[in-house]
Amino acid sequence: MNDQNQSESRQPSRMPVVFIGHGNPMNAIEDSDYSRNWEALGRDLPRPKAIACISAHWLTDGPFATAMEEPRTIHDFYGFPQELFEVQYPAPGSPAVAARVSQANQSVQPDLQWGLDHGTWSVLKRMYPAADIPVVQVSVDVSGGPELQYELGKTLRPLRNDGILFVASGNIVHNLGVVRFIANAEPYDWAVEFDEQCAELLANRSDEALIHYRELGEAARMSIPTDDHYRPILAALGLSEQSDPIRFFNEGIDLASIGMRSFVLG
């Protein structure tokens, strides 16, 4: 059996959905438990025909999808080593997949300016280092409440049947204001509490409780001072069926206040 036939034999009837807690951009170039698990995930998943990544680092008024042939690598951070700024992820774009996204949800507009920010490339560089799979990035719509991402995911769910892997990239716990930049920093109690609370809600598919996270108490308030990194989780839930099994990995709190918990649905 040749490589093409082997790849085709791994194509499921429906692609899974992945949520990645992407955390520190240095995971793109440093060896860590997190980055090694991203590499293993890329090997273990069925090979997609294309990837659609919903990144916490592209916030827009209304939803957009990149529609250029060659998306640029965006270095949307500061204060990191030059080596990180030199990283390129030259994956091709896919105007055709962007059009499919817009057909599935007509509120999604094509974008020819953005590209792939580090919420996308820092993870995909580890999962698919050859950068040979077309990538479309989808924005986080902040024109309304967090339920917008859940509803967007629901409309895009049928595209999983077409070999498109949806990767939602953010963090369950994301409070940069109290980060401790020391090795093996002890996580805050509230970060552990909220991470564990979300894990239970995710395992039980308590989608409504996760959408209305503001009602989950003080630990939620501390863990999500702004919800840009939380909203991709809701897109992942919308993209999945209630019956999809869930598998957690990278269950940890980095730098005391960044939740790295990630999961695969389906």
Side-chain angles (χ1 to χ4, degrees):
M1 182 181 290
N2 62 34
D3 290 344
Q4 181 177 357
N5 288 338
Q6 287 178 342
S7 178
E8 289 174 354
S9 70
R10 296 181 63 205
Q11 282 289 340
S13 57
R14 170 171 284 199
M15 290 296 291
V17 177
V18 178
F19 171 77
I20 299 287
H22 65 248
N24 189 337
M26 291 297 290
N27 287 310
I29 59 174
E30 291 184 342
D31 181 57
S32 67
D33 289 342
Y34 305 127
S35 63
R36 285 193 294 272
N37 285 335
W38 296 346
E39 291 167 358
L41 180 65
R43 293 192 297 268
D44 293 344
L45 290 174
R47 182 174 173 84
K49 295 178 181 177
I51 299 167
C53 187
I54 302 164
S55 170
H57 289 275
W58 189 21
L59 309 179
T60 57
D61 185 3
F64 290 81
T66 57
M68 66 285 288
E69 294 278 0
E70 298 179 355
R72 63 191 174 107
T73 302
I74 302 172
H75 300 90
D76 51 332
F77 41 70
Y78 59 90
F80 288 93
Q82 183 60 30
E83 180 185 2
L84 190 60
F85 289 91
E86 293 172 357
V87 173
Q88 295 292 313
Y89 190 74
S94 178
V97 170
R100 303 271 303 274
V101 170
S102 293
Q103 288 164 4
N105 185 317
Q106 295 184 4
S107 65
V108 179
Q109 300 298 309
D111 173 86
L112 298 175
Q113 302 297 322
W114 189 248
L116 307 180
D117 58 50
H118 84 269
T120 294
W121 64 257
S122 69
V123 172
L124 296 187
K125 182 179 184 295
R126 293 296 198 171
M127 291 178 65
Y128 303 106
D132 58 353
I133 300 172
V135 179
V136 166
Q137 188 168 309
V138 180
S139 71
V140 171
D141 180 5
V142 293
S143 65
E147 65 277 358
L148 288 177
Q149 268 59 57
Y150 187 80
E151 295 302 322
L152 173 67
K154 287 172 65 176
T155 63
L156 301 183
R157 191 184 300 170
L159 300 185
R160 292 175 56 193
N161 296 326
D162 300 325
I164 299 174
L165 174 66
F166 282 90
V167 177
S169 178
N171 294 97
I172 289 176
V173 177
H174 189 262
N175 190 331
L176 293 181
V178 293
V179 160
R180 294 170 175 163
F181 285 104
I182 55 175
N184 302 312
E186 187 72 20
Y188 295 100
D189 289 344
W190 48 261
V192 174
E193 177 186 342
F194 186 66
D195 175 68
E196 293 178 349
Q197 183 180 24
C198 280
E200 182 177 356
L201 292 171
L202 287 164
N204 293 329
R205 285 308 301 261
S206 301
D207 293 6
E208 285 298 315
L210 289 160
I211 291 170
H212 301 290
Y213 69 90
R214 294 184 180 91
E215 301 173 12
L216 295 178
E218 180 64 12
R221 188 187 69 79
M222 290 297 297
S223 297
I224 315 175
T226 61
D227 67 0
D228 47 349
H229 277 64
Y230 182 83
R231 288 188 182 218
I233 299 165
L234 304 179
L237 292 175
L239 280 156
S240 64
E241 304 281 357
Q242 287 280 329
S243 58
D244 281 335
I246 186 168
R247 174 172 68 86
F248 293 112
F249 63 100
N250 280 353
E251 301 171 48
I253 307 294
D254 194 27
L255 305 177
S257 63
I258 305 297
M260 297 300 290
R261 181 181 296 277
S262 306
F263 53 85
V264 179
L265 291 158

